[in-house]
Amino acid sequence: MIVLKLGGSVITDKERPMTADRIAIRRLAEEVALSGVRELIIVHGGGSFGHPLAERFKIAEGFKEEPQLLGFSKTHRAMMELNRLIVNALLGQGIPALSLPPSSFIITHDGRIKALNLEVLRSSLERGFVPVLYGDAVLDAVRGFTILSGDQLSARLALELGASRLIFGVDVDGVYTSNPKLDLEARLLEVLRLEEMEDVARVGGATSTDVTGGMLGKIREALPVVEAGIPVVILNAGRPHNIFKALRGERVIGTVLCR
Amino acid sequence: MIVLKLGGSVITDKERPMTADRIAIRRLAEEVALSGVRELIIVHGGGSFGHPLAERFKIAEGFKEEPQLLGFSKTHRAMMELNRLIVNALLGQGIPALSLPPSSFIITHDGRIKALNLEVLRSSLERGFVPVLYGDAVLDAVRGFTILSGDQLSARLALELGASRLIFGVDVDGVYTSNPKLDLEARLLEVLRLEEMEDVARVGGATSTDVTGGMLGKIREALPVVEAGIPVVILNAGRPHNIFKALRGERVIGTVLCR
């Protein structure tokens, strides 16, 4: 079973609120269908759907005032909207995609998933469905509510369900030695070993590997997955055929995180 | 806390597939908002959204062949579509409605809810949200999958959470002595006592009370709720102000089921 995380920046137009990249979504659904992989969980990010609302209502910080309730509901609704487009694209390709909103079965503890009830997820996989989850506004035992990232969720699912691989589809080619958007000398790392990951996760990338933002989060979430012996691949899902190839286990330009 | 079930025939055009009655949905959302009731769970039916697909793919009968998987996904998608319209209408009235798809946290056992994990539902109520659930295509431990009716779900929630009332909003005025659409002599029953309910539930209405179809199902599901001392009201949600009044505890033409 493979866990495929599709980054929000791949499936939405990050510059325009609530704007999906329908062409990319359709292409990705086609690539999933053509790959023939059916033991699959898809997790997608929020991009321009979830993030602007989550920020406006400060959902990640937890409950502080009444108006946030409506903000929470609207953030979740935005994510359901984006999820609907993904599920529709998959159904259009004949894939029995099943939407599983994290908020309806996960309560985090200070932002982290603790106990995880996987009964429905496991049962749906057993029956041949492809569950589709996403980064979501979720209830939190400490903060009242918060944001659960698709990265945390996909890593946790890969770990708990013993996935054969975790694929992070993002909008860059992988992990670089420095920020490729600022540094012409930036070099793509084909492999990142556990010790290097630990180093990056600890210091936040102030060493030889200048990893920031979303990539740092991914490496941190991937740590226990790699420790458990499950390979994690970070690759560019914006490039046609990459997801198709990665699902089939073929070589793709990107970074492999492994022990 | 009140559990309000809105029948599919009230919120959709039963004659036309996938057609919502947007005017009714808007009015009902307004009535809920104006009532001021916030400790509330809303459960809605499928009407022309869920039913045609569920029938076409024989979802209630359980898994028999592969193509049903896509049918299951499509049935659930249709229900999410209808749910989206309800949630949007409630959010539009400033109610922090929170969609909770039954399929994502309930696995039935031969068509019936057995263990029910109410953690997210309870937590969302505590935090001030109004959970919105619905009759849904759900996984089933015996049949593979099946249909969970909104009637069974709302009755079970009222019972487990100790609701103060369970309101069934339908498209007729209540329970009649015979079918009001066929019999001019049909008389509306203002009260139906537990013994009468048991009688109806057992014989399927072949006695003095000729109750059929959906109404019979409601009475059967309501039995344990009424036994537990929770009053159940069946009224016409198609008539303006009825839901508003019923939520406020005012008298409305309809049938009260009680001990």
Side-chain angles (χ1 to χ4, degrees), chain B residues 124-182:
Chain B
S124 62
L125 284 168
E126 276 167 18
R127 284 159 175 77
F129 292 105
V130 172
V132 184
L133 300 90
Y134 46 89
D136 199 4
V138 298
L139 302 183
D140 186 282
V142 176
R143 303 179 202 170
F145 46 65
T146 193
I147 295 296
L148 168 63
S149 76
D151 288 344
Q152 182 187 159
L153 179 59
S154 51
R156 183 65 184 267
L157 292 177
L159 195 60
E160 294 253 352
L161 296 163
S164 60
R165 245 173 313 151
L166 167 59
I167 302 170
F168 281 114
V170 295
D171 66 346
V172 290
D173 284 340
V175 183
Y176 283 82
T177 51
S178 59
N179 188 335
K181 285 166 187 167
L182 301 174

XYZ file of all heavy atoms in Angstrom, chain B residues 124-182:
441
model
N -17.599 18.391 19.245
C -18.027 19.511 18.406
C -19.227 20.220 19.050
O -19.319 21.443 19.017
C -18.333 19.051 16.978
O -19.377 18.122 16.969
N -20.112 19.462 19.675
C -21.239 20.072 20.392
C -20.735 20.926 21.560
O -21.175 22.061 21.749
C -22.191 18.990 20.924
C -23.115 18.325 19.906
C -23.772 17.096 20.523
C -24.182 19.300 19.400
N -19.795 20.362 22.325
C -19.220 21.087 23.468
C -18.628 22.431 23.061
O -18.702 23.402 23.790
C -18.085 20.264 24.101
C -18.543 19.213 25.097
C -17.396 18.249 25.429
O -16.215 18.586 25.166
O -17.699 17.140 25.910
N -18.020 22.439 21.871
C -17.336 23.650 21.423
C -18.287 24.648 20.754
O -17.881 25.720 20.345
C -16.209 23.278 20.454
C -14.990 22.717 21.154
C -14.142 21.916 20.188
N -12.897 21.447 20.791
C -12.826 20.416 21.630
N -13.916 19.787 21.985
N -11.661 20.034 22.120
N -19.555 24.262 20.592
C -20.537 25.211 20.054
C -20.874 25.025 18.588
O -21.548 25.859 17.999
N -20.383 23.933 17.993
C -20.722 23.676 16.595
C -22.094 23.006 16.494
O -22.587 22.427 17.464
C -19.673 22.761 15.938
C -18.331 23.409 15.776
C -17.267 23.062 16.605
C -18.126 24.376 14.797
C -16.026 23.668 16.465
C -16.883 24.984 14.651
C -15.825 24.631 15.491
N -22.683 23.100 15.310
C -23.915 22.362 15.009
C -23.557 21.278 13.990
O -23.396 21.553 12.804
C -25.005 23.293 14.437
C -26.206 22.482 13.960
C -25.431 24.315 15.492
N -23.386 20.037 14.459
C -23.026 18.949 13.544
C -24.174 18.655 12.571
O -25.337 18.662 12.971
C -22.800 17.747 14.470
C -22.729 18.309 15.865
C -23.517 19.571 15.853
N -23.802 18.436 11.332
C -24.806 18.109 10.318
C -24.449 16.753 9.713
O -23.404 16.607 9.080
C -24.882 19.191 9.219
C -25.998 18.867 8.238
C -25.094 20.569 9.832
N -25.303 15.763 9.952
C -25.071 14.407 9.444
C -26.153 14.053 8.441
O -27.067 14.861 8.205
C -25.063 13.405 10.595
C -24.005 13.626 11.668
C -24.516 14.528 12.769
C -23.536 12.313 12.268
N -26.086 12.857 7.908
C -27.073 12.486 6.898
C -27.151 10.978 6.687
O -26.245 10.237 7.081
C -26.768 13.183 5.569
C -25.327 13.159 5.116
C -24.841 12.112 4.338
C -24.455 14.189 5.458
C -23.528 12.112 3.914
C -23.127 14.193 5.038
C -22.669 13.154 4.264
O -21.359 13.152 3.841
N -28.242 10.565 6.104
C -28.324 9.186 5.642
C -27.229 8.999 4.619
O -27.029 9.858 3.772
N -26.516 7.864 4.697
C -25.278 7.767 3.923
C -25.031 6.328 3.484
O -25.577 5.377 4.053
C -24.117 8.247 4.812
C -22.864 8.631 4.030
O -22.900 8.605 2.776
O -21.849 8.974 4.673
N -24.214 6.187 2.465
C -23.659 4.886 2.110
C -22.516 4.631 3.077
O -21.602 5.450 3.162
C -23.164 4.893 0.668
N -22.586 3.542 3.844
C -21.562 3.266 4.858
C -21.000 1.855 4.698
O -21.647 0.982 4.111
C -22.129 3.409 6.296
C -22.612 4.826 6.564
C -23.258 2.405 6.544
N -19.812 1.640 5.242
C -19.244 0.298 5.254
C -20.001 -0.540 6.283
O -20.467 -0.017 7.290
C -17.750 0.351 5.599
C -16.886 1.202 4.662
C -15.427 1.124 5.059
C -17.058 0.784 3.205
N -20.140 -1.826 5.981
C -20.887 -2.725 6.856
C -20.050 -3.978 7.102
O -19.485 -4.555 6.161
C -22.224 -3.087 6.201
C -23.118 -3.907 7.112
O -22.885 -5.129 7.250
O -24.041 -3.322 7.697
N -19.972 -4.372 8.371
C -19.108 -5.492 8.755
C -19.574 -6.816 8.148
O -18.764 -7.714 7.915
C -19.049 -5.608 10.275
N -20.863 -6.944 7.877
C -21.402 -8.195 7.342
C -21.567 -8.134 5.825
O -21.115 -9.013 5.099
C -22.760 -8.529 8.008
C -23.375 -9.781 7.391
C -22.587 -8.699 9.511
N -22.203 -7.048 5.350
C -22.526 -6.959 3.924
C -21.445 -6.303 3.059
O -21.605 -6.185 1.856
C -23.810 -6.134 3.748
C -25.001 -6.687 4.503
C -26.219 -5.804 4.285
N -27.183 -5.992 5.357
C -28.247 -5.226 5.548
N -28.491 -4.212 4.721
N -29.062 -5.449 6.544
N -20.396 -5.806 3.704
C -19.390 -5.074 2.935
C -19.684 -3.596 2.990
O -18.859 -2.782 3.400
N -20.886 -3.252 2.556
C -21.386 -1.880 2.716
C -22.899 -1.934 2.685
O -23.501 -2.970 2.357
C -20.836 -0.929 1.653
C -20.888 -1.457 0.247
C -22.107 -1.709 -0.374
C -19.725 -1.688 -0.472
C -22.167 -2.187 -1.673
C -19.768 -2.172 -1.782
C -20.995 -2.421 -2.376
N -23.518 -0.842 3.011
C -24.977 -0.753 2.973
C -25.413 0.710 3.046
O -24.568 1.607 2.977
C -25.623 -1.582 4.123
O -27.018 -1.727 3.879
C -25.399 -0.917 5.476
N -26.716 0.908 3.186
C -27.235 2.263 3.373
C -27.661 2.425 4.830
O -28.383 1.580 5.363
C -28.440 2.524 2.445
C -28.017 2.483 0.974
C -29.098 3.866 2.774
C -27.029 3.558 0.547
N -27.185 3.477 5.450
C -27.623 3.820 6.809
C -28.643 4.944 6.675
O -28.311 6.018 6.167
C -26.423 4.282 7.642
C -26.740 4.945 8.986
C -27.437 3.978 9.935
C -25.450 5.473 9.634
N -29.866 4.676 7.111
C -30.898 5.713 6.942
C -30.710 6.842 7.948
O -30.224 6.640 9.061
C -32.289 5.101 7.116
O -32.562 4.863 8.485
N -31.119 8.024 7.540
C -31.086 9.171 8.438
C -32.007 8.959 9.631
O -31.765 9.504 10.711
N -33.056 8.163 9.443
C -33.986 7.883 10.545
C -33.297 7.061 11.642
O -33.376 7.395 12.827
C -35.208 7.107 10.036
C -36.128 7.982 9.197
O -35.982 9.226 9.260
O -36.986 7.435 8.472
N -32.633 5.982 11.231
C -31.931 5.165 12.220
C -30.871 5.995 12.944
O -30.742 5.956 14.170
C -31.247 3.954 11.550
C -30.555 3.054 12.556
C -29.715 1.931 11.959
O -28.835 1.414 12.617
N -29.974 1.546 10.721
N -30.130 6.764 12.157
C -29.039 7.562 12.708
C -29.550 8.601 13.710
O -29.031 8.720 14.824
C -28.289 8.251 11.566
C -27.121 9.149 11.952
C -26.053 8.375 12.715
C -26.518 9.793 10.700
N -30.596 9.333 13.342
C -31.066 10.400 14.227
C -31.657 9.831 15.512
O -31.438 10.375 16.601
C -32.065 11.307 13.502
O -33.073 10.550 12.890
N -32.370 8.710 15.397
C -32.940 8.082 16.593
C -31.823 7.615 17.522
O -31.866 7.843 18.738
C -33.836 6.910 16.193
N -30.808 7.000 16.931
C -29.701 6.489 17.738
C -28.938 7.621 18.425
O -28.545 7.514 19.589
C -28.771 5.676 16.835
C -27.613 5.030 17.546
C -28.072 3.971 18.542
N -26.933 3.456 19.271
C -26.250 2.367 18.909
N -26.651 1.664 17.862
N -25.203 1.972 19.593
N -28.737 8.719 17.706
C -28.031 9.862 18.288
C -28.838 10.472 19.425
O -28.294 10.827 20.475
C -27.739 10.925 17.218
C -26.728 10.531 16.147
C -26.583 11.643 15.121
C -25.373 10.201 16.760
N -30.155 10.599 19.218
C -31.021 11.158 20.265
C -30.924 10.315 21.531
O -30.824 10.833 22.651
C -32.464 11.214 19.772
N -30.911 8.993 21.336
C -30.850 8.052 22.452
C -29.506 8.124 23.163
O -29.436 8.307 24.387
C -31.092 6.635 21.912
C -31.429 5.536 22.903
C -32.702 5.864 23.662
C -31.600 4.212 22.158
N -28.420 8.013 22.396
C -27.077 7.933 22.991
C -26.665 9.231 23.663
O -25.940 9.229 24.654
C -26.048 7.599 21.903
C -26.227 6.237 21.304
C -25.158 5.251 21.750
O -24.181 5.670 22.407
O -25.311 4.054 21.439
N -27.096 10.340 23.085
C -26.677 11.631 23.630
C -27.723 12.217 24.578
O -27.572 13.329 25.069
C -26.383 12.610 22.483
C -25.208 12.220 21.580
C -25.249 12.999 20.277
C -23.881 12.477 22.295
N -28.787 11.454 24.826
C -29.820 11.925 25.742
C -30.431 13.248 25.306
O -30.469 14.218 26.077
N -30.904 13.292 24.085
C -31.510 14.526 23.569
C -32.763 14.869 24.367
O -33.385 14.002 24.983
C -31.868 14.337 22.095
N -33.137 16.136 24.369
C -34.377 16.535 25.032
C -35.567 16.258 24.124
O -36.689 16.078 24.602
C -34.316 18.016 25.401
O -34.148 18.805 24.238
N -35.301 16.211 22.830
C -36.349 15.948 21.858
C -35.754 15.464 20.545
O -34.631 15.827 20.201
C -37.118 17.244 21.552
C -38.576 17.222 21.976
C -39.172 18.602 21.787
N -38.336 19.648 22.313
C -38.305 20.895 21.834
N -39.049 21.218 20.792
N -37.522 21.812 22.378
N -36.546 14.675 19.835
C -36.191 14.276 18.468
C -37.320 14.738 17.563
O -38.489 14.388 17.788
C -36.025 12.749 18.393
C -35.968 12.113 16.991
C -34.811 12.665 16.159
C -35.842 10.581 17.105
N -36.982 15.565 16.589
C -38.002 16.090 15.681
C -37.795 15.504 14.290
O -36.712 15.635 13.717
C -37.917 17.638 15.590
C -38.074 18.267 16.981
C -38.948 18.187 14.605
C -37.766 19.763 17.023
N -38.831 14.851 13.777
C -38.801 14.370 12.393
C -39.576 15.365 11.527
O -40.806 15.448 11.628
C -39.475 12.993 12.280
C -38.633 11.837 12.729
C -38.990 11.090 13.846
C -37.481 11.465 12.032
C -38.225 9.999 14.262
C -36.710 10.379 12.441
C -37.082 9.651 13.560
N -38.877 16.114 10.703
C -39.551 17.017 9.770
C -39.795 16.291 8.462
O -38.851 15.924 7.767
N -41.073 16.045 8.152
C -41.408 15.284 6.942
C -42.299 16.116 6.013
O -42.466 17.317 6.227
C -42.091 13.942 7.324
C -41.110 13.051 8.079
C -43.337 14.187 8.165
N -42.871 15.465 4.971
C -43.679 16.231 4.013
C -45.184 15.997 4.185
O -45.971 16.339 3.310
C -43.230 15.952 2.580
C -43.489 14.509 2.162
O -43.756 13.674 3.052
O -43.432 14.228 0.951
N -45.572 15.379 5.313
C -46.994 15.283 5.672
C -47.122 15.795 7.107
O -46.119 16.006 7.789
C -47.532 13.827 5.578
C -47.604 13.373 4.128
C -46.675 12.885 6.415
N -48.370 15.965 7.551
C -48.566 16.625 8.846
C -48.279 15.748 10.059
O -48.260 16.244 11.190
C -49.998 17.173 8.939
C -50.152 18.446 8.106
O -49.111 19.076 7.799
O -51.291 18.802 7.757
N -48.088 14.463 9.836
C -47.812 13.576 10.967
C -48.290 12.175 10.653
O -48.362 11.783 9.480
N -48.618 11.415 11.693
C -49.098 10.039 11.520
C -50.619 10.051 11.418
O -51.300 10.652 12.252
C -48.661 9.147 12.712
C -49.100 7.697 12.480
C -47.150 9.217 12.917
N -51.150 9.419 10.392
C -52.595 9.375 10.153
C -53.171 7.999 10.486
O -52.445 7.006 10.521
C -52.898 9.704 8.688
C -52.799 11.169 8.363
C -51.571 11.767 8.100
C -53.947 11.968 8.322
C -51.473 13.115 7.805
C -53.870 13.313 8.026
C -52.620 13.879 7.766
O -52.543 15.216 7.476
N -54.484 7.956 10.663
C -55.160 6.668 10.916
C -55.111 5.786 9.674
O -55.169 4.569 9.755
C -56.629 6.886 11.314
O -57.239 7.758 10.345
C -56.734 7.520 12.690
N -55.030 6.404 8.518
C -54.830 5.662 7.272
C -54.106 6.595 6.301
O -53.818 7.751 6.632
C -56.174 5.204 6.695
O -56.995 6.324 6.462
N -53.801 6.097 5.128
C -53.038 6.906 4.175
C -53.833 8.124 3.713
O -54.826 7.990 2.989
C -52.643 6.039 2.976
C -51.675 6.767 2.056
O -51.634 7.994 2.019
N -50.896 6.000 1.312
N -53.419 9.333 4.107
C -54.199 10.547 3.794
C -54.239 10.851 2.296
O -55.095 11.607 1.848
C -53.459 11.642 4.567
C -52.072 11.125 4.748
C -52.185 9.641 4.836
N -53.318 10.250 1.552
C -53.296 10.506 0.112
C -54.307 9.624 -0.623
O -54.644 9.869 -1.766
C -51.883 10.289 -0.440
C -50.950 11.446 -0.053
C -49.479 11.129 -0.274
C -48.612 12.264 0.293
N -47.195 11.893 0.380
N -54.804 8.575 0.062
C -55.748 7.650 -0.572
C -57.118 7.675 0.102
O -58.139 7.383 -0.523
C -55.198 6.215 -0.510
C -53.835 5.971 -1.175
C -53.368 4.541 -0.904
C -53.915 6.237 -2.681
